Amino acid sequence: MTDLKIRDYDSITSFLGSWGPFQRRIFLALAISILPNGFIGNYIVFVGDTPPHECYIPENISLSEMWRNVTIPLETVDGISKRSSCSRLNLEMVSNYSQNELIPNVDVNVSEIPLESCVDGWIYSKQTYQSTIVSEWDLVCKNKYRAPLITSMHYVGVLVGAFVSGQVSDRYGRRPAVFLMMLLQTVATTSQIFSPSWEVFTVTHFLVGAGGFSNYIIAFVLGTEILDPKVRVVFCSLGVFLCSALGYMIMPAVGFFLRDWRLLVASMAASGLIYIPLWWLLPESPRWLFYQGRVGEAEVILRKAAKTNKIEAPQDIFTPAEIEEVLTMKDKKYNISILFSNCNVFSTTIVCSLLWIIIVISYYGLILNTSNLHGSPYVNSFLSAVTEVPAYIIAMLLLQNCSRHFCQSSTLFIGGVMILCVNLIPIDAPEVAVFLEMLGKFGVTASFCVVYAVSSEAFPTVIRNTAMGCCSMAARIGSIFSPFLIFLGQYYKALPYILIGSLALFGAALCLLLPETYQKVLPETISQMQQMCGSCRRRGNKEKEGENEENAAGYQCQESRM
């Protein structure tokens, strides 16, 4: 057996062509499967928004019109005077003054009347929403931490789902894992409609997160492994992200007409019906089957694909040498520990994970901040979604024509600079601040698209889904904190922008440590991975680091050269 007899998987399956009916079916089916993720990932912007509110003054309390108007004190927020949301004048004292026919600020100095909390509850403005989870369960004032906590628990669910689904996908297959996560997402979203309390809603929102983002990741990996390299970049940008952006654009339109939070969640749950016909359209990844030693099953799918494309498959799709190689590997099972057992894999995982954390905290921070921007939250959310379309197109063009270093670094740099510039805009020009934030969102969104391609190309097939799941799991650290990062804006308005912008600029420099994968063959085994800059260094003339997947002593870490 010689090395010449062993081809890489893309060469083996090149007989299928690049863009036949089979590839178009896979592309379309996976793109459709991602459409509901645009709804599910962002509806909390409306469902969990806090409407203007103030203390409720019971109607049975006898107050004159003058005293009723001053019972809610004024307070200054961001330089603007408005009625307090969390306090009122002591109602017993105000009622006594009113009954004695005293005039506020004439007979009584109103500023000297002690304040009390909203012991009778709150009244909420219905100008924008008929109801939200905040208005239904009074998640305001001393309980206002609960709203970002609910969102954070959603991202904790994403973290857990990414970890579990990555293991399931690599061990049991892409297809069963993706449909399991689709089912979990749909069932959990449906159960949210009937939540009797914020605690139950939090649990169901955790499960929505566990299912929602996991099927997104697995669908991305499935498309990456099935589609031809020439189509792969288009799929990663237009197929995956553009469909998610389309769902994101539809979501504020649906929210505009369904302003009761339960009705909005019901429409989100109904989007899960899209998944049903996909059961008959999506096959297992033949690449994954082949490298699991299930050569016969892989051949069946490839021959069906050839028949669909009206192409005659070779009599022997895989050579005996290729079959022998994968059969020697079939009993080798990988779990997350493999990411820490080799210095090159470990270093690549760390850098990719940090990039994901930076990009995700920036991306979701900007999404969650749309309801805090000047103007209608529906318009701002739609504009935020619209910026993703050119971002994904630009990302696709960059990925097709430029090095991965340039793609990742330039998009993060643009996003970071634009977000930092928001702080320089005077308070009387809010439209300019919104415009700059949308430009920042454009850069961060493009970087989000790029980091998927960069990460999936850096890791080999045998651990790709586990590695992508680990990166996604690490990124949830960022998304878990992103609601509280925006929450900090209530204390210092510029702080979220400073943090997001600074992190993006740091990521623009960090990504340069990763190996360049532009126009490189997709690695199948750990030994085929490229060395990361400075990831492995010799400690002596005879010392070797790392291991490959067949022999623990067979993989040697080489010192990268710059």
Side-chain angles (χ1 to χ4, degrees):
M1 181 176 67
T2 66
D3 290 339
L4 294 175
K5 295 181 181 179
I6 301 177
R7 301 161 292 169
D8 64 82
Y9 181 85
D10 290 329
S11 298
I12 294 171
T13 58
S14 60
F15 70 89
L16 289 174
S18 299
W19 192 239
F22 173 75
Q23 288 91 344
R24 290 196 291 271
R25 188 189 80 192
I26 298 300
F27 189 105
L28 183 62
L30 289 174
I32 290 174
S33 77
I34 290 166
L35 189 64
N37 290 92
F39 309 145
I40 301 301
N42 303 307
Y43 66 82
I44 195 66
V45 171
F46 303 129
V47 169
D49 197 10
T50 303
H53 56 280
E54 60 183 46
C55 293
Y56 173 63
I57 309 298
E59 296 296 330
N60 60 356
I61 300 295
S62 178
L63 294 178
S64 66
E65 191 65 26
M66 286 187 298
W67 279 106
R68 190 171 288 273
N69 289 337
V70 300
T71 301
I72 305 298
L74 296 177
E75 59 183 13
T76 301
V77 179
D78 296 327
I80 300 173
S81 181
K82 64 177 187 178
R83 289 163 70 89
S84 174
S85 299
C86 297
S87 61
R88 67 185 184 187
L89 302 183
N90 184 281
L91 205 55
E92 184 178 354
M93 295 180 65
V94 169
S95 178
N96 290 333
Y97 292 144
S98 178
Q99 291 174 8
N100 292 329
E101 298 183 351
L102 299 178
I103 300 174
N105 290 321
V106 175
D107 299 318
V108 178
N109 187 347
V110 173
S111 62
E112 295 180 354
I113 300 177
L115 301 178
E116 64 182 9
S117 60
C118 302
V119 293
D120 295 305
W122 292 262
I123 56 173
Y124 296 88
S125 169
K126 294 191 176 183
Q127 182 178 358
T128 303
Y129 308 104
Q130 285 299 307
S131 71
T132 68
I133 60 172
V134 173
S135 63
E136 179 158 336
W137 296 311
D138 290 332
L139 308 182
V140 293
C141 300
K142 68 178 182 179
N143 293 326
K144 63 183 178 181
Y145 72 91
R146 293 176 178 175
L149 177 62
I150 290 171
T151 306
S152 289
M153 289 304 299
H154 172 81
Y155 294 124
V156 172
V158 174
L159 187 153
V160 174
F163 175 76
V164 174
S165 66
Q167 298 288 298
V168 171
S169 176
D170 277 343
R171 186 170 290 270
Y172 300 106
R174 314 317 194 198
R175 188 173 184 270
V178 75
F179 282 104
L180 177 64
M181 294 299 110
M182 288 174 179
L183 178 64
L184 175 61
Q185 172 189 300
T186 304
V187 171
T189 308
T190 303
S191 64
Q192 280 190 317
I193 305 168
F194 309 102
S195 299
S197 65
W198 76 271
E199 292 91 345
V200 173
F201 184 92
T202 301
V203 172
T204 56
H205 208 43
F206 169 89
L207 296 175
V208 170
F213 200 79
S214 296
N215 70 54
Y216 186 96
I217 284 279
I218 301 169
F220 179 89
V221 171
L222 186 58
T224 300
E225 293 184 347
I226 292 180
L227 297 173
D228 183 86
K230 296 178 181 178
V231 183
R232 196 176 294 147
V233 170
V234 180
F235 171 74
C236 292
S237 52
L238 299 185
V240 174
F241 293 99
L242 199 58
C243 276
S244 177
L246 180 61
Y248 185 11
M249 283 189 282
I250 295 172
M251 189 266 298
V254 175
F256 181 83
F257 293 102
L258 300 176
R259 302 201 177 197
D260 178 90
W261 76 266
R262 292 183 190 272
L263 292 178
L264 180 58
V265 172
S267 68
M268 302 297 102
S271 68
L273 296 174
I274 291 176
Y275 296 139
I276 295 176
L278 300 182
W279 179 263
W280 293 274
L281 296 176
L282 290 177
E284 182 57 88
S285 166
R287 182 192 293 260
W288 177 84
L289 288 170
F290 177 65
Y291 285 101
Q292 293 295 309
R294 296 159 64 174
V295 180
E297 295 175 63
E299 281 202 11
V300 169
I301 294 175
L302 291 174
R303 293 190 184 281
K304 285 183 179 179
K307 184 177 180 181
T308 302
N309 287 353
K310 298 181 179 178
I311 294 172
E312 185 175 351
Q315 183 175 356
D316 296 316
I317 295 178
F318 305 106
T319 67
E322 291 158 354
I323 295 174
E324 181 181 347
E325 183 186 44
V326 298
L327 290 178
T328 61
M329 297 165 54
K330 71 176 184 178
D331 294 327
K332 181 70 175 179
K333 301 297 182 182
Y334 294 95
N335 54 44
I336 198 169
S337 64
I338 192 65
L339 301 179
F340 308 99
S341 63
N342 176 285
C343 64
N344 187 47
V345 176
F346 177 72
S347 300
T348 303
T349 302
I350 291 296
V351 174
C352 285
S353 297
L354 286 174
L355 279 175
W356 278 62
I357 290 172
I358 290 168
I359 293 171
V360 165
I361 196 172
S362 303
Y363 180 79
Y364 285 107
L366 294 174
I367 285 179
L368 295 173
N369 195 48
T370 53
S371 60
N372 298 326
L373 298 177
H374 175 76
S376 167
Y378 298 105
V379 173
N380 290 333
S381 183
F382 179 76
L383 290 175
S384 178
V386 167
T387 60
E388 299 201 355
V389 177
Y392 294 141
I393 294 174
I394 293 297
M396 179 193 70
L397 295 175
L398 288 173
L399 288 169
Q400 287 180 325
N401 300 289
C402 301
S403 73
R404 299 300 183 248
H405 284 164
F406 178 80
C407 295
Q408 191 73 83
S409 185
S410 62
T411 51
L412 278 170
F413 181 80
I414 291 171
V417 169
M418 291 299 104
I419 293 302
L420 286 175
C421 286
V422 172
N423 299 316
L424 305 178
I425 305 304
I427 195 171
D428 57 349
E431 295 84 3
V432 179
V434 171
F435 176 72
L436 287 177
E437 182 158 341
M438 293 305 160
L439 286 180
K441 174 71 163 28
F442 167 87
V444 171
T445 300
S447 72
F448 208 159
C449 180
V450 172
V451 79
Y452 270 84
V454 169
S455 301
S456 64
E457 291 174 354
F459 294 102
T461 299
V462 291
I463 60 168
R464 184 171 296 116
N465 213 103
T466 295
M468 291 288 284
C470 182
C471 290
S472 176
M473 184 174 66
R476 294 319 113 199
I477 297 173
S479 58
I480 288 167
F481 285 103
S482 61
F484 289 100
L485 185 146
I486 299 304
F487 186 68
L488 292 176
Q490 297 186 19
Y491 302 98
Y492 181 46
K493 192 172 184 179
L495 186 56
Y497 297 108
I498 294 172
L499 292 174
I500 290 174
S502 300
L503 285 171
L505 292 180
F506 173 70
L510 180 68
C511 68
L512 300 178
L513 295 176
L514 289 173
E516 182 54 65
T517 58
Y518 179 53
Q519 295 185 336
K520 299 291 194 304
V521 175
L522 202 65
E524 307 293 352
T525 63
I526 294 176
S527 59
Q528 294 174 4
M529 281 184 68
Q530 294 189 67
Q531 296 295 312
M532 198 187 82
C533 175
S535 64
C536 303
R537 301 187 181 275
R538 292 186 180 182
R539 297 181 182 177
N541 291 332
K542 297 183 179 180
E543 184 177 358
K544 298 179 180 180
E545 296 183 1
E547 63 178 8
N548 68 6
E549 63 282 4
E550 294 82 22
N551 190 321
Y555 182 83
Q556 179 179 4
C557 278
Q558 302 289 342
E559 181 177 2
S560 297
R561 300 183 184 273
M562 287 294 291

